Amino acid sequence: MLPLSSTGPGGTSLLTALFTSTSAVCVTGLVVVDTSTHWSAFGEGVILVLIQLGGLGIMTFASLLGLLVWRRLGLRSRLTAAAETKAVGLGDVRSVVRGVVITSLVFEAITAALLAARFALGYDEPWDRAAYLGLFHAVSAFNNAGFALWSDSLTPFVTDPYICLPVAFAVIAGGLGFPVWLELHKHVRQPRRWSMHTQMTLAATAGLLVAGAVFVTANEWSNPGTLGALDPPGRLLAGFFHGVMPRTAGFNSVDYGAMRDGTLLATEILMFIGGGSAGTAGGIKVTTFVLLFLVIWAEVRGDRDVEAFERRIGDRTIRQALTIALLGVAAVVASTLVLLEVSEQTTEAVLFEAVSAFATVGLSTGITADLPASGQLVLTALMFLGRLGPITLVSALALRERPTLHRLPEGRPIIG
Amino acid sequence: MLPLSSTGPGGTSLLTALFTSTSAVCVTGLVVVDTSTHWSAFGEGVILVLIQLGGLGIMTFASLLGLLVWRRLGLRSRLTAAAETKAVGLGDVRSVVRGVVITSLVFEAITAALLAARFALGYDEPWDRAAYLGLFHAVSAFNNAGFALWSDSLTPFVTDPYICLPVAFAVIAGGLGFPVWLELHKHVRQPRRWSMHTQMTLAATAGLLVAGAVFVTANEWSNPGTLGALDPPGRLLAGFFHGVMPRTAGFNSVDYGAMRDGTLLATEILMFIGGGSAGTAGGIKVTTFVLLFLVIWAEVRGDRDVEAFERRIGDRTIRQALTIALLGVAAVVASTLVLLEVSEQTTEAVLFEAVSAFATVGLSTGITADLPASGQLVLTALMFLGRLGPITLVSALALRERPTLHRLPEGRPIIG
Ligand SMILES: [K+]
Ligand SMILES: [K+]
């Protein structure tokens, strides 16, 4: 980033610029300098553009890859109305880009309007400043980026539903993913025509939102450092907010450093699972998680096939889900080991940071800026890997599916 | 346990007796009271008998279940020479019990003799006391129980290879599992005739031992609280010892409370993986771990089939391995959440304790006795679950395999 991006006289180190740019373009939201004080208006603008480009880019890229996989496998695509071919042409790209841009702008505009009105009317901000704040946080929310223009994220608004609810709404909308919105747009009144992907994403998102909100609310209810300091309606709002944010927006309205250990562990699980495919959320994605869950269910029932929503899930799809999840675990564990070597932080804090970076969440117990340069580089790499890894890996795996000419006899090791 | 089991005037609480009995019979080795000072000679004898019965029982039970599964599925069984039928008869039971008992006694006798000689000659113990010490620790080692008659486990012998190496040898032998020993006994000079199970177990055990020993040695080399206090040969011995012990014996010769965080994390991974099937080790078993690894390898290569050792692995076997591993993760995470709620310990210490109990390892950072009664009950349940869960679950899953009459059309959600 250019020197004029920062406010102070010292400028910005190359590492800080690299870390912040990666965090913005990967819509993660981890920061090593305070966004509100370190960057000039120009620097904030650069971050905003990077977030928007990062969000649009990932949605377009993932949607096109999904389309390519579906085409190649001869499955009916619902992403475009084009005739079925095995290639993805320029027309598809235009159509997807247009859809992604329109979807993003609509949600961001609604959210920005709601937030701007509240900043102007509730906090006496001048209209131009209120509009800027509304726009910045709407883009940051819909793209699940989690960058905020206050040093302590959205903590000043912990009990204000007119700020927290629009932000949560935009976060959830962005996290569902473009294919889901496209299908809802086309067949909103005909749930029977929704694809398995849409049904699975909606059901899993609802389940994880409820589970996360209930757990956080219950576990932090009497913690004076977090929800315990609020009145009961405020506790409910903040509990809901922090059930939504790990998936994978990364705003916070109470201090994660003061959260109970159980809440941090539950948050790590929610972060790792993440949101919907081909959206702005990170993690291994809810569909991957649900597939693994369905395998267990099918095994316990003794079923030959893994089934859901009146469809059978192929063994290759299951193996791909397993591969994504295990490589995700491996990336997080390996990064945690390296971070433990290069820093003096506890396993708890470092693991939280690694999951947060991998799932492009951006929540932190506050140690990011204290990590040595090598640690910040590990997180930078992890953000890239977490952002692009699952999407490209699963597409590569799906496209490499090929039949074999001969099969070996089956062997059966004893397991368990 | 009876009052005469303990040395002190206060006797033993019901919870302590329950915890210790479970720990012994599940060959875990977690303790809430000091084995060497709390229990009388009679109490020690009871613990020794429980360990031996627990070890013999689990090996017999798991071997018979493996036999039943193989028979039912029409796979060639190598556990007995009996004719192929689909039922497991009394003859099979006798044959397996005899084999398990003989295997155990041979290894325990060798180890006990080596240890007793060292205690008598190297530490001037009277011969009867040396024989008792040798027997107790040989049984505890072969059965991967990890109970020791010194307050700080085997710390007094950290640099003595004549104690550490026989113990490590017995631990590895017990952890390979009865089916492997039976096959090695029959076809020791013909590796080509070894089953896939034996080849996979031996290869994975060797790999994990080397990886564990190298990582622990390198990571603790300069830690003054652990290996750093020793001379270089002592460091190598202690590093090797602590690469072996997480899988899943649970003796220690340096203080785990002083280990670096990275070592604890690596130890947790080794503990969770555990040892061979139908042996005295715990965890999800090395074959389960290898199968998951092979799935990733096959996916990255784009192979239709998961293959190893010139055999194809069936999709049902893969799903069963996945089920065991994920339910193991779920049990550990759920227990960790509960332990965090009921105690004031850190996530790090509690997670280590939960993995140690689930995988029946018995290593601890030292918090076991400080946990409240509810926490100790959680660990007790987790030890039982970890000891019996994987074996019975995988057998139940394998025996429930049944064909379905109709198959649904395939659906393909976007993952990753
Ligand atoms: K984020
Ligand atoms: K043990």
Side-chain angles (χ1 to χ4, degrees):
Chain A
M1 288 187 173
L2 301 171
L4 71 114
S5 297
S6 63
T7 52
T12 306
S13 77
L14 188 64
L15 177 64
T16 298
L18 173 71
F19 191 94
T20 308
S21 314
T22 304
S23 186
V25 84
C26 292
V27 294
T28 306
L30 283 175
V31 289
V32 288
V33 293
D34 184 348
T35 307
S36 58
T37 57
H38 182 87
W39 304 107
S40 64
F42 177 77
E44 288 179 13
V46 170
I47 289 173
L48 188 64
V49 170
L50 288 176
I51 291 171
Q52 183 67 77
L53 290 179
L56 290 175
I58 202 74
M59 278 195 284
T60 307
F61 178 57
S63 298
L64 285 174
L65 278 176
L67 187 61
L68 184 66
V69 168
W70 275 348
R71 288 272 172 85
R72 206 54 93 71
L73 298 173
L75 295 173
R76 191 154 75 90
S77 158
R78 291 167 186 261
L79 280 179
T80 63
E84 298 287 327
T85 64
K86 289 215 167 188
V88 173
L90 198 58
D92 298 321
V93 176
R94 275 210 204 98
S95 151
V96 166
V97 169
R98 189 169 52 229
V100 166
V101 170
I102 291 173
T103 308
S104 298
L105 291 186
V106 167
F107 281 109
E108 287 168 2
I110 296 171
T111 313
L114 291 171
L115 291 178
R118 181 61 182 168
F119 285 127
L121 302 176
Y123 297 89
D124 292 328
E125 296 279 358
W127 271 102
D128 56 341
R129 174 75 184 160
Y132 173 69
L133 289 176
L135 177 69
F136 189 97
H137 294 94
V139 170
S140 184
F142 180 77
N143 291 292
N144 275 236
F147 278 86
L149 294 181
W150 292 273
S151 304
D152 44 4
S153 192
L154 300 184
T155 309
F157 314 103
V158 58
T159 56
D160 185 348
Y162 302 102
I163 299 291
C164 290
L165 291 181
V167 166
F169 157 78
V171 162
I172 296 169
L176 282 176
F178 175 62
V180 170
W181 282 115
L182 188 69
E183 225 172 349
L184 288 181
H185 177 65
K186 283 185 182 167
H187 309 294
V188 68
R189 294 181 185 282
Q190 299 147 288
R192 297 202 151 269
R193 294 186 62 183
W194 295 351
S195 69
M196 176 191 201
H197 176 77
T198 294
Q199 296 182 62
M200 196 182 271
T201 302
L202 289 175
T205 299
L208 287 170
L209 284 176
V210 171
V214 169
F215 186 89
V216 172
T217 308
N219 206 41
E220 295 292 325
W221 189 265
S222 60
N223 181 352
T226 60
L227 304 198
L230 312 172
D231 58 353
R235 293 182 198 188
L236 290 176
L237 179 66
F240 169 73
F241 194 74
H242 290 91
V244 175
M245 290 307 137
R247 325 183 38 259
T248 56
F251 289 110
N252 60 292
S253 66
V254 300
D255 179 10
Y256 269 87
M259 289 278 199
R260 290 192 168 134
D261 291 338
T263 311
L264 294 181
L265 184 56
T267 300
E268 283 164 17
I269 296 169
L270 288 173
M271 294 197 294
F272 188 77
I273 297 170
S277 296
T280 57
I284 61 168
K285 308 300 181 303
V286 291
T287 38
T288 310
F289 175 71
V290 170
L291 284 189
L292 299 181
F293 190 84
L294 289 173
V295 169
I296 297 178
W297 182 240
E299 278 303 316
V300 170
R301 284 168 47 97
D303 293 341
R304 173 180 166 198
D305 289 331
V306 179
E307 297 169 352
F309 300 106
E310 309 201 332
R311 285 285 180 282
R312 171 171 59 88
I313 320 266
D315 288 314
R316 290 304 301 267
T317 310
I318 291 168
R319 282 165 49 183
Q320 285 156 15
L322 174 61
T323 302
I324 297 293
L326 288 185
L327 288 181
V329 171
V332 167
V333 170
S335 307
T336 303
L337 278 174
V338 174
L339 289 173
L340 285 174
E341 296 300 317
V342 302
S343 76
E344 298 297 313
Q345 306 290 343
T346 65
T347 305
E348 197 165 10
V350 162
L351 180 65
F352 193 88
E353 203 80 5
V355 175
S356 180
F358 169 77
T360 66
V361 181
L363 294 177
S364 173
T365 53
I367 66 166
T368 324
D370 300 332
L371 290 174
S374 54
Q376 294 182 2
L377 284 173
V378 168
L379 288 183
T380 306
L382 200 54
M383 287 191 277
F384 257 120
L385 186 73
R387 182 75 283 194
L388 294 175
I391 296 163
T392 43
L393 182 63
V394 81
S395 307
L397 298 184
L399 294 174
R400 287 195 64 177
E401 283 183 24
R402 55 184 167 79
T404 36
L405 293 177
H406 72 286
R407 304 188 84 178
L408 294 170
E410 185 170 342
R412 194 173 179 109
I414 311 176
I415 56 177
Chain B
M1 288 185 171
L2 302 172
L4 72 113
S5 296
S6 62
T7 52
T12 306
S13 77
L14 188 63
L15 178 64
T16 298
L18 173 70
F19 191 92
T20 308
S21 313
T22 304
S23 185
V25 83
C26 292
V27 294
T28 305
L30 284 174
V31 289
V32 289
V33 293
D34 184 349
T35 309
S36 58
T37 57
H38 181 87
W39 305 106
S40 64
F42 178 78
E44 287 178 13
V46 170
I47 289 175
L48 188 63
V49 169
L50 287 176
I51 291 172
Q52 183 69 77
L53 290 179
L56 291 175
I58 202 74
M59 277 195 284
T60 307
F61 178 57
S63 298
L64 286 174
L65 279 175
L67 187 61
L68 184 66
V69 168
W70 275 347
R71 287 270 171 84
R72 203 56 89 73
L73 298 174
L75 296 173
R76 192 154 76 90
S77 159
R78 292 166 185 261
L79 280 178
T80 62
E84 298 287 329
T85 65
K86 287 217 169 185
V88 173
L90 198 60
D92 298 319
V93 177
R94 276 210 203 99
S95 150
V96 166
V97 169
R98 191 167 53 229
V100 166
V101 170
I102 291 174
T103 308
S104 298
L105 292 186
V106 167
F107 280 109
E108 288 168 3
I110 296 171
T111 312
L114 291 170
L115 291 177
R118 181 63 182 167
F119 285 127
L121 303 175
Y123 297 90
D124 293 328
E125 296 280 358
W127 272 102
D128 56 341
R129 174 75 184 159
Y132 173 70
L133 289 176
L135 177 70
F136 188 97
H137 293 94
V139 170
S140 183
F142 180 76
N143 291 291
N144 275 239
F147 277 87
L149 294 181
W150 292 273
S151 304
D152 45 4
S153 192
L154 299 184
T155 308
F157 314 103
V158 57
T159 56
D160 185 347
Y162 302 101
I163 298 291
C164 289
L165 291 181
V167 166
F169 157 79
V171 162
I172 296 169
L176 283 176
F178 175 63
V180 170
W181 282 115
L182 189 69
E183 227 174 347
L184 289 180
H185 177 66
K186 283 185 182 168
H187 309 294
V188 69
R189 293 181 185 283
Q190 298 147 291
R192 297 203 150 269
R193 294 188 62 183
W194 295 350
S195 69
M196 177 191 202
H197 175 77
T198 294
Q199 296 182 61
M200 195 182 273
T201 302
L202 289 175
T205 299
L208 288 171
L209 284 176
V210 170
V214 168
F215 186 89
V216 172
T217 308
N219 206 41
E220 295 292 325
W221 190 264
S222 60
N223 181 352
T226 59
L227 303 198
L230 311 172
D231 57 354
R235 293 183 198 186
L236 290 176
L237 179 66
F240 169 72
F241 194 75
H242 291 92
V244 174
M245 290 307 137
R247 327 188 32 260
T248 57
F251 289 111
N252 61 291
S253 66
V254 300
D255 179 10
Y256 269 89
M259 288 278 200
R260 290 194 167 132
D261 291 338
T263 310
L264 293 180
L265 184 57
T267 300
E268 282 163 18
I269 296 168
L270 288 173
M271 294 197 294
F272 187 77
I273 297 171
S277 295
T280 56
I284 61 168
K285 308 300 180 305
V286 291
T287 38
T288 310
F289 175 71
V290 170
L291 285 189
L292 299 182
F293 190 85
L294 290 173
V295 169
I296 297 179
W297 182 240
E299 277 304 317
V300 170
R301 284 168 47 96
D303 293 341
R304 174 181 167 199
D305 290 332
V306 179
E307 297 170 353
F309 301 106
E310 310 202 333
R311 284 284 181 282
R312 171 170 59 87
I313 319 267
D315 287 316
R316 291 303 301 265
T317 310
I318 291 167
R319 282 165 48 183
Q320 284 156 16
L322 173 62
T323 303
I324 296 293
L326 289 185
L327 288 181
V329 170
V332 166
V333 170
S335 307
T336 302
L337 279 174
V338 174
L339 289 173
L340 284 174
E341 296 300 319
V342 302
S343 76
E344 298 296 312
Q345 306 290 344
T346 66
T347 305
E348 197 165 12
V350 162
L351 179 64
F352 193 88
E353 204 79 4
V355 175
S356 181
F358 170 77
T360 66
V361 181
L363 294 176
S364 173
T365 53
I367 65 165
T368 324
D370 299 332
L371 291 173
S374 55
Q376 294 181 2
L377 283 173
V378 169
L379 288 183
T380 306
L382 200 54
M383 287 192 276
F384 258 119
L385 186 71
R387 181 77 281 193
L388 294 175
I391 295 163
T392 43
L393 181 63
V394 81
S395 307
L397 298 184
L399 294 173
R400 288 195 65 176
E401 284 182 22
R402 55 184 166 81
T404 36
L405 293 176
H406 71 287
R407 306 188 83 179
L408 294 169
E410 185 170 342
R412 195 173 179 108
I414 310 177
I415 57 177

